Amino acid sequence: MARFFLTLQYDGTNSYGWQRQNNAHTTIQAAIEKAIADLVGAPVSVVGASRTDAGVHARRTAAHVDIETRLRGEELRRAIDVRLPSDVSLIALEEVAADFHCRHRALGKCYAYRVHNARHRSPLAERNAWFCPRELDVAAMRDAAKPLVGEHDFSAFATLLSDYPNKLTSQPDPERPDKPEGNVRTLHAIEILQRGHLLTFLVFGDGFLRGMVRGVVGTLIDAGLGKLTQTDVEKILVSRDRREAGANLPANGLTLEAVFYDRAEMERWLARASEAAKDERMSLPGSVSSPLELLG
Amino acid sequence: MARFFLTLQYDGTNSYGWQRQNNAHTTIQAAIEKAIADLVGAPVSVVGASRTDAGVHARRTAAHVDIETRLRGEELRRAIDVRLPSDVSLIALEEVAADFHCRHRALGKCYAYRVHNARHRSPLAERNAWFCPRELDVAAMRDAAKPLVGEHDFSAFATLLSDYPNKLTSQPDPERPDKPEGNVRTLHAIEILQRGHLLTFLVFGDGFLRGMVRGVVGTLIDAGLGKLTQTDVEKILVSRDRREAGANLPANGLTLEAVFYDRAEMERWLARASEAAKDERMSLPGSVSSPLELLG
């Protein structure tokens, strides 16, 4: 028996989220478990670093699995990958210590929420970006994001599994047994990148509550529409009441971009995101997002 | 009756190409004609600037149509757009002179052919990029592209409608009655942009033969694999024989990025593409293409 660390990518459009379900719905976890079980001839249990919701994508996420196999390295990666459906891919695989845990060892994550902000729809963007035809004030959204950065109780932005109670602060999070307080998380940065009609909200943090990124960006969109000020966002945060914050935006705009296990790598991403947000070279108002704009 | 100039975007994944067909297959032209006919209550004929093949995408293409309507401007654009299927969008609309012709007035086009070049598949890229798992020599491909730039007879790269004759040079092109020679075209530039695992071949020209971009890039891929040299590409061009060139690459990697009607705009794109191709900042070998890489 050996433990393997898996780096995965998936398009969530046609899946019912990460987590295996007791019905016929297609989920990412079930697809990976089936591929590996088909290969090794025994049922397996895959532990994921993040349980993304239905319709959410992942560019680089992680998982681990214990399996009995003589295959190693690239041979094993390919043997699993060819058994996966086309919307999931096994990017990399490496053997790790038997006590390595992909969720407990994760230092942080980067999510991207993409918004196609134009009067016209964009068939080439809509799989990975939410279409917002109303004008957004990017400076106002950047201001409104400031109170959210740092260590806070993010209950006001978490999707509850039931409607009541609205305040979960005292409940421990089963996903993070190492964390002392249920809904306290640290957001390292929220950077808003503007390229033509594409707005990308990059949200970095040590961990995220269910629905948190979509609730945070939904609240920033309200600020961009002039409905909320920076002071309002501060009040929402302090309220710890989900009913105060903006709407949860649709899943198609959300991509888990990376799970970090290396602090230096996370620092590099943070620095580059901050630099990219300042770079307005390619922001051409009124233009169709072109590959030249997107590729810098 | 008034003539309108239409700016369109489409995802070609599920369509049988631009051109209307005498059967039940979905085509882009038929979808647009149906949307407008539903609005104005009479059949219409839409003339396109480019007849892309099945599976090819367009980020900004053009068409014109003569219709009888009291609607104008944004009101007319929206009335047509809401009647279009989700994979086609009407980005802009403007009234033009009755003798304006979207194909005859076009000065040039920019196509992008995208290649996801990595060992692993990329579910997030595969709708718009061809997956090539073999190592490609980008410098060799740039060298091999040089003989193709300029005015040449591109018969060696054109997809023929029948297998014989292989040389069409003497035949006039019904698409370009203003052009003296059937298969002579001018390529202004071929720029290869490298961002993480994504290679983007930007091909600029005054006009293109059927299948030409896919044949040109297929030939450059052979050069990237070490199968062809710059001298071989020169010989293929001179041969005017389609059997000499590389394979036609799959349609999903091809996007018509823009049709130009303004010379200054085309010059700006050319300059920016050349600059972007030189910028290797974001070329991180071995990395997963991230939004930071893609967004510069």
Side-chain angles (χ1 to χ4, degrees), chain B residues 62-75:
Chain B
H64 72 254
V65 63
D66 293 324
I67 51 175
E68 189 67 60
T69 176
R70 267 170 299 181
L71 297 179
R72 284 295 183 275
E74 184 61 10
E75 206 182 356

Side-chain angles (χ1 to χ4, degrees), chain A residues 58-195:
Chain A
R59 196 177 312 272
R60 196 186 78 185
T61 188
H64 71 253
V65 64
D66 293 325
I67 51 174
E68 190 68 61
T69 176
R70 268 170 297 182
L71 298 178
R72 285 294 183 275
E74 183 61 10
E75 207 181 356
L76 179 57
R77 187 193 72 80
R78 279 195 203 172
I80 297 170
D81 191 58
V82 296
R83 289 166 170 84
L84 286 169
S86 66
D87 47 5
V88 186
S89 125
L90 180 55
I91 289 179
L93 169 151
E94 56 181 306
E95 196 172 336
V96 286
D99 65 346
F100 178 94
H101 193 289
C102 71
R103 199 159 58 233
H104 302 158
R105 290 287 181 89
L107 298 172
K109 291 173 189 167
C110 171
Y111 277 95
Y113 197 91
R114 293 183 172 77
V115 179
H116 176 245
N117 185 219
R119 285 201 303 189
H120 61 84
R121 292 178 302 117
S122 174
L124 292 175
E126 71 179 13
R127 235 176 140 81
N128 300 101
W130 172 61
F131 171 45
C132 175
R134 286 169 298 172
E135 206 173 319
L136 295 170
D137 181 336
V138 175
M141 295 193 290
R142 285 177 176 148
D143 274 353
K146 284 175 193 161
L148 302 176
V149 174
E151 187 182 83
H152 304 285
D153 181 316
F154 283 98
S155 299
F157 302 95
T159 303
L160 308 175
L161 293 175
S162 65
D163 283 335
Y164 187 85
N166 270 55
K167 295 179 188 181
L168 292 176
T169 314
S170 57
Q171 298 189 5
D173 179 9
E175 286 272 289
R176 310 278 303 199
D178 51 320
K179 291 280 160 189
E181 286 186 76
N183 290 340
V184 172
R185 295 289 183 277
T186 300
L187 279 193
H188 303 304
I190 301 176
E191 300 289 356
I192 307 175
L193 281 57
Q194 210 180 351
R195 298 289 183 277

Side-chain angles (χ1 to χ4, degrees), chain B residues 53-126:
Chain B
D53 284 340
V56 175
H57 317 290
R59 196 176 311 271
R60 196 187 79 185
T61 188
H64 72 254
V65 63
D66 293 324
I67 51 175
E68 189 67 60
T69 176
R70 267 170 299 181
L71 297 179
R72 284 295 183 275
E74 184 61 10
E75 206 182 356
L76 179 57
R77 186 192 72 79
R78 280 194 203 173
I80 296 169
D81 191 58
V82 296
R83 289 166 170 85
L84 286 169
S86 66
D87 48 5
V88 186
S89 125
L90 179 56
I91 290 179
L93 169 151
E94 57 181 306
E95 196 172 337
V96 286
D99 65 345
F100 178 93
H101 193 289
C102 70
R103 199 158 59 234
H104 302 158
R105 289 288 180 88
L107 297 172
K109 291 173 189 169
C110 171
Y111 277 94
Y113 196 91
R114 293 183 172 77
V115 179
H116 176 245
N117 186 219
R119 285 201 304 189
H120 60 84
R121 293 177 301 119
S122 174
L124 292 175
E126 71 179 12

Side-chain angles (χ1 to χ4, degrees), chain A:
Chain A
M1 207 69 148
R3 180 160 289 192
F4 293 94
F5 176 78
L6 311 176
T7 303
L8 298 153
Q9 180 172 111
Y10 50 84
D11 182 316
T13 308
N14 300 315
S15 89
Y16 283 79
W18 168 266
Q19 198 160 4
R20 185 195 322 119
Q21 294 175 16
N22 292 325
N23 56 33
H25 288 326
T26 308
T27 72
I28 306 296
Q29 187 184 29
I32 299 163
E33 289 179 345
K34 184 176 182 308
I36 299 177
D38 285 353
L39 176 70
V40 302
V44 299
S45 179
V46 169
V47 177
S50 187
R51 298 182 192 168
T52 53
D53 285 340
V56 175
H57 316 290
R59 196 177 312 272
R60 196 186 78 185
T61 188
H64 71 253
V65 64
D66 293 325
I67 51 174
E68 190 68 61
T69 176
R70 268 170 297 182
L71 298 178
R72 285 294 183 275
E74 183 61 10
E75 207 181 356
L76 179 57
R77 187 193 72 80
R78 279 195 203 172
I80 297 170
D81 191 58
V82 296
R83 289 166 170 84
L84 286 169
S86 66
D87 47 5
V88 186
S89 125
L90 180 55
I91 289 179
L93 169 151
E94 56 181 306
E95 196 172 336
V96 286
D99 65 346
F100 178 94
H101 193 289
C102 71
R103 199 159 58 233
H104 302 158
R105 290 287 181 89
L107 298 172
K109 291 173 189 167
C110 171
Y111 277 95
Y113 197 91
R114 293 183 172 77
V115 179
H116 176 245
N117 185 219
R119 285 201 303 189
H120 61 84
R121 292 178 302 117
S122 174
L124 292 175
E126 71 179 13
R127 235 176 140 81
N128 300 101
W130 172 61
F131 171 45
C132 175
R134 286 169 298 172
E135 206 173 319
L136 295 170
D137 181 336
V138 175
M141 295 193 290
R142 285 177 176 148
D143 274 353
K146 284 175 193 161
L148 302 176
V149 174
E151 187 182 83
H152 304 285
D153 181 316
F154 283 98
S155 299
F157 302 95
T159 303
L160 308 175
L161 293 175
S162 65
D163 283 335
Y164 187 85
N166 270 55
K167 295 179 188 181
L168 292 176
T169 314
S170 57
Q171 298 189 5
D173 179 9
E175 286 272 289
R176 310 278 303 199
D178 51 320
K179 291 280 160 189
E181 286 186 76
N183 290 340
V184 172
R185 295 289 183 277
T186 300
L187 279 193
H188 303 304
I190 301 176
E191 300 289 356
I192 307 175
L193 281 57
Q194 210 180 351
R195 298 289 183 277
H197 288 306
L198 189 70
L199 291 177
T200 304
F201 293 76
L202 291 171
V203 185
F204 293 82
D206 66 347
F208 294 88
L209 303 172
R210 189 186 170 105
M212 181 172 152
V213 178
R214 290 154 68 188
V216 161
V217 180
T219 305
L220 298 181
I221 293 288
D222 280 348
L225 293 169
K227 292 187 202 169
L228 294 175
T229 64
Q230 191 187 71
T231 313
D232 296 327
V233 175
E234 272 186 276
K235 282 183 193 155
I236 292 167
L237 181 66
V238 172
S239 79
R240 299 186 302 208
D241 184 342
R242 181 63 187 88
R243 294 168 299 189
E244 298 294 319
N248 253 12
L249 297 182
N252 68 309
L254 187 60
T255 304
L256 173 55
E257 294 290 339
V259 181
F260 299 106
Y261 293 89
D262 178 72
R263 200 162 292 280
E265 190 196 23
M266 187 162 75
E267 297 295 337
R268 276 199 303 277
W269 276 61
L270 280 162
R272 193 182 283 169
S274 156
E275 205 186 312
K278 279 178 213 132
D279 181 359
E280 302 288 341
R281 273 181 314 163
M282 296 300 164
S283 301
L284 307 172
S287 70
V288 178
S289 292
S290 79
L292 295 174
E293 291 164 53
L294 295 179
L295 292 171

